[in-house]
Amino acid sequence: MIVNLDTFEELHKPVYVLEENRLRKNLQLISDVAARADVEIILAYKAYALWKTFPIFREYIHATTASSLSEARLAFEEFGAPAHTFSPAYNDYEIDEIAHCSSHLNFNSLSQYNRYYERAKKANPSLSFGLRVNPEYSEVKTLIYNPCAPGTRFGITSDLLPETLPEGIEGFHCHTLCESNSDEFQRTLTHIEEKFAKWFPQLKWINFGGGHLMTRKDYDVELLVKILKDFKQRYPHLKVTLEPGSAFGWQTGPLVSQVVDIVENHGIRTAILNVSFACHMPDCLEMPYQPAVRGAETLESDDFSGEHVYRFGGCSCLSGDFMGNWRFDHELEIGENIILEDMLHYTTVKTNMFNGISHPSIAIVHCDGELEMLREYDYSDYRSRMD
């Protein structure tokens, strides 16, 4: 089926729509940055894990990063390459299989290293081991997404590291950013080097984690390339890896939904949709942020006066499953498509079936305009969660 990418008028049920042209544009930019800076950039599954699109990814990148056994298996079995793996804590009943599916294994603490290093090495002798370190500096304002906030459970601070790194440790993993620009990385890197550079001669690689939103329109790509080149000049023996998540799926497609009712209370008109912020767009409530809606003006205030102003309500029974407000140039109608922009990253990986709410289908629009349904959901998917 050929679809109208402006209106998606052919769709009458909720669908996440990935646009292949947009995805390839992101992948090409990321691939170019990696080549120019002589670094490795890999996909983080926590933001994007649509494995049916991995054949496209493999044209541009060669590895991925995992934070759980399931993600590590996805890397090994579906992407076709072992994962760069980090978890806040590994489990006795999973560590051997995680090691088998990984090329790199990062420990979050020295106690986890002491507990699992020998066992993981035995399970996979080719593993390269690293430690997650905490430079105690991050500019991420939203605490729920700040990995270096006071009291964080992530990473080892410099005062806890021995002068000589433990046996087998070949790299450092450091994650401090969240949808950040390159100037934030530049300032953060100063703190990383101040805290940890004295151990760099003992290492083979360093992983600067995710949050490098290099595909965002206002991102300073040239500064990122310069930062990485300069770092490589200072430490030419270190292989550098970045593992952004959002950058791959950024602006690659919307969530298409429909209006199912319009209600009014105390002068607030709410268009109830057949999707849920709580179930299908959880970051909107967690971050929080108000998504752009095609054909509508996003209003910053709670002023609902004027014509064609609406709050959007989700279809779950959670009282707080709503956002608003937006202004349209017309009265909304039942059945009308509401297109919520940029809904491919951190959505399909975080959705849930609270309340038994139907999950949106997942589709891709290929470069020739043909829409292919990658996955459709029904009652059996909800029921299987309770098996």
Side-chain angles (χ1 to χ4, degrees):
M1 175 174 62
I2 302 296
V3 295
N4 184 323
L5 292 178
D6 292 324
T7 64
F8 295 100
E9 60 194 44
E10 299 82 5
L11 302 179
H12 306 291
K13 295 173 65 177
V15 186
Y16 294 103
V17 181
L18 172 67
E19 298 177 37
E20 183 180 345
N21 278 326
R22 293 187 180 191
L23 177 63
R24 287 187 178 275
K25 182 179 178 181
N26 285 354
L27 286 164
Q28 187 61 62
L29 184 150
I30 290 168
S31 177
D32 289 346
V33 169
R36 290 173 58 198
D38 189 25
V39 301
E40 181 180 38
I41 304 178
I42 62 181
L43 169 68
Y45 289 140
K46 70 176 184 177
Y48 182 102
L50 297 181
W51 59 269
K52 289 182 179 178
T53 65
F54 286 175
I56 299 173
F57 278 76
R58 285 196 293 266
E59 296 178 32
Y60 301 88
I61 65 172
H62 307 294
T64 58
T65 181
S67 297
S68 64
L69 173 57
S70 291
E71 287 187 347
R73 285 190 60 180
L74 199 69
F76 192 74
E77 297 174 12
E78 302 297 342
F79 194 86
H84 294 236
T85 302
F86 163 80
S87 174
Y90 299 104
N91 297 306
D92 280 336
Y93 50 86
E94 293 180 334
I95 186 63
D96 300 298
E97 193 172 0
I98 286 176
H100 173 72
C101 294
S102 302
S103 60
H104 297 67
L105 192 73
N106 291 284
F107 295 107
N108 187 53
S109 66
L110 292 173
S111 59
Q112 280 270 296
Y113 165 84
N114 291 330
R115 185 176 182 88
Y116 290 123
Y117 168 66
E118 291 293 345
R119 184 168 162 183
K121 183 179 178 182
K122 182 178 179 181
N124 182 357
S126 65
L127 266 179
S128 182
F129 292 92
L131 298 175
R132 177 157 177 169
V133 294
N134 176 8
E136 302 174 84
Y137 178 88
S138 175
E139 298 183 16
V140 177
K141 299 297 188 295
T142 305
L143 285 182
I144 192 174
Y145 295 115
N146 185 338
C148 297
T152 182
R153 69 191 192 282
F154 290 128
I156 305 166
T157 53
S158 58
D159 60 304
L160 297 179
L161 282 178
E163 290 296 317
T164 300
L165 293 174
E167 176 189 348
I169 294 300
E170 298 182 332
F172 280 167
H173 176 278
C174 187
H175 179 77
T176 63
L177 308 174
C178 177
E179 297 188 354
S180 304
N181 212 317
S182 49
D183 61 323
E184 294 177 54
F185 176 48
Q186 186 175 46
R187 292 188 291 272
T188 302
L189 184 56
T190 300
H191 291 264
I192 295 172
E193 290 188 64
E194 285 178 355
K195 295 280 188 179
F196 298 105
K198 70 177 184 178
W199 286 283
F200 287 178
Q202 301 179 48
L203 303 178
K204 295 182 179 180
W205 52 265
I206 188 165
N207 183 329
F208 288 124
H212 310 267
L213 193 47
M214 61 191 76
T215 52
R216 188 174 61 197
K217 186 177 180 179
D218 64 346
Y219 189 93
D220 192 340
V221 172
E222 295 306 314
L223 178 58
L224 175 65
V225 172
K226 182 180 187 305
I227 293 167
L228 294 171
K229 283 185 173 180
D230 290 348
F231 183 86
K232 295 274 289 184
Q233 283 189 333
R234 294 194 295 277
Y235 311 102
H237 71 290
L238 288 180
K239 180 179 179 179
V240 175
T241 300
L242 280 67
E243 48 180 44
S246 295
F248 286 91
W250 189 257
Q251 296 287 348
T252 55
L255 171 57
V256 180
S257 64
Q258 289 77 37
V259 177
V260 293
D261 196 11
I262 297 173
V263 298
E264 185 168 342
N265 183 284
H266 287 257
I268 297 173
R269 285 186 297 175
T270 299
I272 300 178
L273 309 179
N274 52 6
V275 295
S276 161
F277 292 100
C279 298
H280 309 138
M281 299 167 277
D283 274 356
C284 292
L285 301 182
E286 290 178 6
M287 190 67 169
Y289 77 95
Q290 187 170 336
V293 174
R294 192 168 302 182
E297 175 189 359
T298 302
L299 303 179
E300 301 297 332
S301 71
D302 288 330
D303 182 7
F304 284 86
S305 62
E307 292 187 323
H308 318 318
V309 176
Y310 299 88
R311 169 188 283 177
F312 287 155
C315 55
S316 80
C317 290
L318 177 69
S319 297
D321 190 3
F322 68 87
M323 292 207 75
N325 45 343
W326 291 266
R327 176 181 288 116
F328 290 79
D329 61 4
H330 64 280
E331 287 291 320
L332 295 182
E333 298 180 359
I334 306 302
E336 181 173 345
N337 276 0
I338 299 296
I339 302 170
L340 297 131
E341 304 284 14
D342 193 23
M343 283 294 164
L344 265 295
H345 56 93
Y346 281 107
T347 49
T348 53
V349 293
K350 295 182 75 171
T351 55
N352 61 78
M353 289 187 172
F354 165 67
N355 241 179
I357 301 298
S358 297
H359 195 290
S361 301
I362 302 174
I364 181 171
V365 177
H366 294 292
C367 296
D368 61 2
E370 185 77 18
L371 182 138
E372 176 191 357
M373 283 291 179
L374 299 178
R375 183 75 157 85
E376 295 183 83
Y377 298 84
D378 57 26
Y379 167 68
S380 64
D381 296 292
Y382 172 68
R383 184 183 182 279
S384 66
R385 295 193 173 203
M386 310 302 164
D387 286 350

